[in-house]
Amino acid sequence: MKVKNPDNTISMMDPSLLLRPEAVYDGKDVQAFRDYSVDDEDPIKARVRKTYYTMHTNVTVDFVKGKMDKWLKFNHFKSTIKDALIKLNELVDESDPDTDLPNIVHAFQTAERIRQDHPDDDWFHLTGLIHDVGKVMAFYGEPQWCVVGDTFPVGCKWGKSIVYGDDSFKDNPDTYNPKYNTENGIYSPKCGIEALMMSWGHDEYLYRFLVHNKAKLPEQALWMIRYHSFYPWHAGGDYSHFETEKDQKIKEAVLKFNQYDLYTKSAAIPDIEALWPYYESLIDKYMPGVLEW
Ligand SMILES: [Fe+2]
Ligand SMILES: [Fe+2]
């Protein structure tokens, strides 16, 4: 996999994709991914590590409040879901024509695999299709490190399982703020995962976007979208002291979704043109028209 312009931090290639099984092609072992070992001789590993260090240095409670203030006005552009998916894809292609598969292929592979296993749950198919479309923020001045990658809550002690977290937060001012650096921080025990202020990224943005635009998706779909990158929780086991009974249901839904996000390695590239009419009918059913982003 070629990585062009390694110093261009606003490159449209998603650095986290490089270490996710969904980016595996040509028979490469799934286990080789989510490998965060340090090797600065390896340009891909160095780039991913740099992205996470920049994220972990800059993402604070105040930073997230600022991004929410910027993005939750939904006054950046207007577009249908289909055009947003295509738009994201076009930009990836333009900035790095050597990137393996376009993001839209991942979107359709995820959706189609879900459709195979759950033929009657059309909302689930659509969830697979759109789950990464929040990455459009990268078109509007956001650097990759606050759009992509694993998420985590701010306002409390960093979870032990956050990638590079034993070292990468050393320059983050919140690490030394006694309001934020305790087990509970600004939250109370058993407050519920939904009460946590998450690091800003494509998950939280798309969740908020769907609520703002009154998408008719069931709540499981919203949970899947909001927490699919929250690996320190759903895979790492951190933050369980904030969980309520409801969070078990949320986690179940997220894990049910994530297997399709992660293991959509597929020899068959979906025939996207042939599939659009079906997915457009789902878009019309659940989130029709021109929406506010
Ligand atoms: Fe994602
Ligand atoms: Fe994905």
Side-chain angles (χ1 to χ4, degrees):
M1 183 179 290
K2 291 173 190 163
V3 180
K4 289 192 165 177
N5 309 320
D7 296 316
N8 176 7
T9 53
I10 317 183
S11 157
M12 290 303 146
M13 177 186 253
D14 170 352
S16 76
L17 286 181
L18 299 172
L19 287 186
R20 285 171 187 275
E22 64 198 35
V24 180
Y25 312 111
D26 303 328
K28 196 165 169 182
D29 191 351
V30 199
Q31 299 305 322
F33 284 74
R34 290 192 66 79
D35 167 9
Y36 296 101
S37 56
V38 176
D39 178 3
D40 286 337
E41 298 299 304
D42 179 332
I44 293 174
K45 282 187 177 175
R47 182 186 171 88
V48 171
R49 183 161 167 262
K50 187 178 167 204
T51 300
Y52 273 105
Y53 268 70
T54 311
M55 179 200 293
H56 294 171
T57 300
N58 290 286
V59 175
T60 61
V61 170
D62 288 344
F63 176 88
V64 174
K65 283 180 180 166
K67 290 301 170 198
M68 290 169 102
D69 193 49
K70 173 179 173 184
W71 283 99
L72 301 184
K73 294 187 177 80
F74 301 100
N75 59 358
H76 296 273
F77 64 102
K78 291 184 180 171
S79 156
T80 63
I81 290 283
K82 182 180 181 184
D83 286 345
L85 277 161
I86 290 170
K87 182 178 179 155
L88 178 67
N89 203 46
E90 279 169 355
L91 197 56
V92 171
D93 281 352
E94 258 176 37
S95 70
D96 193 339
D98 294 323
T99 302
D100 285 311
L101 290 182
N103 194 272
I104 203 161
V105 176
H106 168 59
F108 274 94
Q109 282 178 329
T110 307
E112 283 291 291
R113 284 287 295 276
I114 291 169
R115 192 177 170 190
Q116 269 175 23
D117 287 0
H118 303 274
D120 299 329
D121 297 336
D122 63 356
W123 62 268
F124 198 4
H125 314 162
L126 185 59
T127 302
L129 188 77
I130 67 168
H131 74 280
D132 277 339
V133 75
K135 291 178 187 176
V136 291
M137 283 189 294
F139 290 85
Y140 295 87
E142 296 301 352
Q144 290 274 330
W145 54 262
C146 71
V147 173
V148 303
D150 293 357
T151 59
F152 53 88
V154 294
C156 61
K157 195 175 175 178
W158 315 118
K160 285 190 178 65
S161 69
I162 298 176
V163 293
Y164 307 114
D166 50 351
D167 180 59
S168 56
F169 288 103
K170 64 182 185 306
D171 296 323
N172 184 315
D174 284 4
T175 301
Y176 308 99
N177 187 329
K179 258 191 336 191
Y180 303 142
N181 66 8
T182 61
E183 207 62 19
N184 293 316
I186 58 175
Y187 311 106
S188 11
K190 299 194 193 306
C191 61
I193 292 301
E194 290 166 296
L196 305 177
M197 189 192 294
M198 298 300 295
S199 57
W200 189 249
H202 68 282
D203 301 45
E204 183 72 16
Y205 172 55
L206 187 61
Y207 162 73
R208 301 283 193 136
F209 160 86
L210 292 168
V211 172
H212 172 77
N213 285 287
K214 302 187 169 54
K216 298 180 201 85
L217 289 169
E219 62 182 356
Q220 299 104 288
L222 299 179
W223 297 336
M224 290 168 177
I225 285 164
R226 192 177 193 185
Y227 298 114
H228 73 272
S229 303
F230 191 8
Y231 278 83
W233 175 57
H234 66 66
D238 291 332
Y239 308 106
S240 58
H241 57 296
F242 294 131
E243 287 176 4
T244 61
E245 234 167 84
K246 182 185 177 187
D247 292 320
Q248 298 314 314
K249 278 201 252 171
I250 297 180
K251 197 187 280 180
E252 242 170 67
V254 174
L255 292 173
K256 180 174 161 185
F257 169 78
N258 262 53
Q259 56 178 312
Y260 299 105
D261 191 12
L262 289 172
Y263 303 113
T264 45
K265 171 181 144 188
S266 167
I269 304 293
D271 182 349
I272 291 173
E273 283 315 307
L275 290 168
W276 264 125
Y278 172 67
Y279 285 95
E280 281 183 277
S281 76
L282 300 187
I283 292 169
D284 284 345
K285 180 174 173 184
Y286 291 103
M287 50 192 83
V290 177
L291 307 178
E292 293 177 337
W293 299 77

